Amino acid sequence: MKLIRILAASFSLSLRRELTFRANLLFQLLLTILNITASFLVLGAVYTQTRTLGGWSLGESMSLLGTFQIVSGIYATFVEPNLSWFAGQVRDGKLDSALVQPVSSLFMLSLGKCEPLALSQVLPGLLVVAIGWHNLGTIPTGWSILGWLILLAVGLIIAWAARVLLACLSLWVPSMDLDVLYSALWQFGRYPVDIYRQPLRFCLIYILPFAFLATFPAGILTGKSNPLLPLIGIATGALAIAIVHQAWNISLRRYT
Amino acid sequence: MRRILHLLVISTQREILQWLAWRAFLLTLIINQMVAPLIGLAIWSVALPGNHQISTYYVALLAVQLMTVSYENHTVANGIYDGTFSQQLLKPQPVILGPLGTNIALRVLHLLFGLPLLIIVGIGMGTTWDVRMILLALPALLLAAILRFLFTYLLALSAFWSEQAHAIVSFGETLIFLLGGSAAPIALFPANLHILGEIAPMYALLGFPAEIMSSGLQQSQILSGYGWQILWILVFALALQLIWRSGLRRYTAIGG
């Protein structure tokens, strides 16, 4: 409860700070719309040449693209502002202030800051999912929407967990800044993992599970995936949280 | 002229040595640059199975991308923001030599470090090459490299007027991704966009040399492509001069 209150306070403070720079909001919105248009045009060009892409129809791929946009927006709002250039913070000793606060350091350092304006990416994402549904001509059932929401949450937990684990790595090797790498690999989530060849596909499902970002949730929504996937997802999410807690506590001992 | 060339060589050598100290970070930058062409390769080789030309095209595009990377939003814009740009102004040499040296150094290192993956992907995808076409593409590659530098440098100079130089450069990069032949080869664009694609500067600085290398163009297309490259270089060089002069008048030592 206390953590939620802190999160809400940080959200409101950041929102007030960001609203001072309204031009930034406009620019960010423009960039988001351009990015989505770009992905849309790519899909359009691909589907004029073929009817399915790795077994995904146009409507299904659009649902996936929208889902990816939603996850990216929430991630950019709550997780990304915290752990960026973490290795630099370790080197400069900037973790001190978070460590002495009477709240879990993992929470403060990985979720304590946010950028509310990035939430503006979520709305176009929802729109794209809706267009995808329209294109498919079917209305998803209540269960598939529930499964989609669960897997969306799991995707976010995994994205957060993977980012924290990379931050833990920075505590062991402070010269390692993996921000650029993480955001580069993130882009692989934009399309169904089925299109990638092995061993890349194996990595995206089991090692750095970016398949959970969009492929699995969109699969449930369009009835392509195993209906038990949300249960597997919940177990994976819980496991990810447990691993992160353990890894964080062990790695933090390295901080001096 | 000899003196300027000598200064450029010194600046490039110094930057290569400096960046070699940041090998790990450099590697993440290189992977970041390779992601978009690799995703394009994955999508299009699934959409058009058995089409070896498209694989060859994307491997060529990957090589062009590595040899023409430009980071002037970091090397130039950041200097304007934090005021270290003043030091560049005081040096008894043209200011552009500094960023140009960094640019060349980074391109050499990108190609060097990216070469192993380039070869693996090239062999793995069963690409075929015509040496004559590669030779024919070399001048186009050089012109594309010049154009890409001018393009990014021009956008980065927006730092004189705005706090949004990074967003403006990333806007330009999205345009390059979309219209430069990375999202989809220009030949696969819808008919009405095809002409626009062929004359746009984004195609001249990325897709055009890759398309020559993969033997995708006829003689007349190659000739007109060279024409567009030269025209765009002249336009951007002129624009750069104008923007540079008026930007410099706005610059104050405490930042843009």
Side-chain angles (χ1 to χ4, degrees), chain A residues 24 27 34 38 42 46 184 187 195, chain B residues 32 43 46 164 167 171 178 183:
Chain A
N24 288 6
F27 216 86
L34 182 77
V42 175
V46 169
Q187 297 304 323
I195 66 167
Chain B
N32 187 33
I43 292 175
V46 170
Q164 298 281 351
F171 176 80
L178 197 60

Side-chain angles (χ1 to χ4, degrees), chain A residues 79-230:
Chain A
V79 184
E80 211 173 15
N82 293 286
L83 295 166
S84 53
W85 309 114
F86 188 76
Q89 295 182 39
V90 173
R91 286 197 297 268
D92 297 345
K94 287 192 179 152
L95 303 195
D96 297 2
S97 59
L99 291 178
V100 293
Q101 282 168 8
V103 198
S104 144
S105 60
L106 175 58
F107 174 81
M108 273 320 277
L109 284 167
S110 68
L111 295 166
K113 277 185 265 176
C114 59
E115 277 179 19
L117 293 192
L119 268 185
S120 61
Q121 295 177 28
V122 173
L123 205 63
L126 281 171
L127 198 70
V128 175
V129 173
I131 296 173
W133 280 343
H134 182 73
N135 189 284
L136 283 173
T138 53
I139 296 172
T141 61
W143 282 116
S144 59
I145 294 183
L146 184 68
W148 179 66
L149 287 174
I150 291 176
L151 284 177
L152 218 61
V154 170
L156 280 165
I157 290 174
I158 287 177
W160 165 80
R163 193 65 195 78
V164 176
L165 286 180
L166 287 186
C168 289
L169 204 61
S170 302
L171 283 162
W172 293 83
V173 192
S175 63
M176 195 116 84
D177 249 326
L178 294 169
D179 286 45
V180 183
L181 183 71
Y182 192 72
S183 57
L185 298 181
W186 181 271
Q187 297 304 323
F188 281 111
R190 192 181 288 269
Y191 298 99
V193 286
D194 310 84
I195 66 167
Y196 303 116
R197 291 190 175 195
Q198 302 291 12
L200 184 58
R201 192 191 306 170
F202 180 83
C203 292
L204 290 174
I205 295 178
Y206 298 106
I207 297 178
L208 202 65
F210 281 169
F212 272 99
L213 294 185
T215 304
F216 289 165
I220 279 288
L221 193 63
T222 53
K224 290 177 74 70
S225 310
N226 184 347
L228 288 178
L229 198 58

Side-chain angles (χ1 to χ4, degrees), chain A residues 53-77:
Chain A
L53 186 68
W56 292 66
S57 71
L58 177 59
E60 290 165 346
S61 287
M62 281 184 180
S63 306
L64 192 151
L65 177 64
T67 309
F68 176 78
Q69 196 62 44
I70 295 170
V71 174
S72 301
I74 301 176
Y75 176 82
T77 308

Side-chain angles (χ1 to χ4, degrees), chain B residues 15-234:
Chain B
E15 288 291 332
I16 288 181
L17 290 178
Q18 255 180 24
W19 275 98
L20 277 177
W22 289 89
R23 285 181 300 272
F25 181 60
L26 188 66
L27 210 58
T28 67
L29 290 184
I30 293 167
I31 294 172
N32 187 33
Q33 291 294 336
M34 294 179 104
V35 164
L38 282 179
I39 291 179
L41 176 66
I43 292 175
W44 286 101
S45 51
V46 170
L48 304 171
N51 185 337
H52 283 298
Q53 199 190 350
I54 206 123
S55 319
T56 310
Y57 169 75
Y58 269 107
V59 174
L61 192 86
L62 196 57
V64 176
Q65 173 87 356
L66 289 178
M67 282 184 269
T68 59
V69 285
S70 286
Y71 295 103
E72 278 63 46
N73 50 332
H74 296 285
T75 55
V76 179
N78 282 356
I80 295 175
Y81 287 145
D82 62 23
T84 45
F85 178 69
S86 308
Q87 297 164 11
Q88 301 294 326
L89 287 174
L90 289 174
K91 287 183 186 167
Q93 64 174 38
V95 175
I96 201 167
L97 277 187
L100 188 59
T102 316
N103 182 290
I104 297 172
L106 279 170
R107 285 171 177 180
V108 170
L109 291 173
H110 271 63
L111 182 64
L112 214 63
F113 281 53
L115 207 54
L117 190 63
L118 204 61
I119 292 171
I120 292 171
V121 176
I123 294 173
M125 297 302 293
T127 51
T128 47
W129 304 92
D130 181 345
V131 180
R132 274 178 317 156
M133 284 299 166
I134 293 181
L135 289 178
L136 208 57
L138 287 181
L141 185 63
L142 180 69
L143 293 176
I146 295 172
L147 188 55
R148 175 88 189 236
F149 172 71
L150 294 176
F151 182 86
T152 316
Y153 195 58
L154 186 71
L155 293 185
L157 287 188
S158 62
F160 283 126
W161 291 271
S162 140
E163 297 280 315
Q164 298 281 351
H166 285 276
I168 290 170
V169 172
S170 103
F171 176 80
E173 274 170 2
T174 308
L175 286 183
I176 293 177
F177 167 74
L178 197 60
L179 296 172
S182 180
I186 300 292
L188 297 174
F189 272 25
N192 45 354
L193 282 177
H194 195 162
I195 307 276
L196 176 75
E198 270 190 359
I199 62 174
M202 296 85 190
Y203 174 65
L205 58 76
L206 183 63
F208 176 60
E211 210 141 22
I212 305 180
M213 278 189 230
S214 59
S215 320
L217 293 179
Q218 288 158 0
Q219 204 174 6
S220 62
Q221 285 175 306
I222 296 180
L223 278 176
S224 73
Y226 271 113
W228 283 112
Q229 276 191 315
I230 292 168
L231 179 79
W232 282 120
I233 287 179
L234 291 176

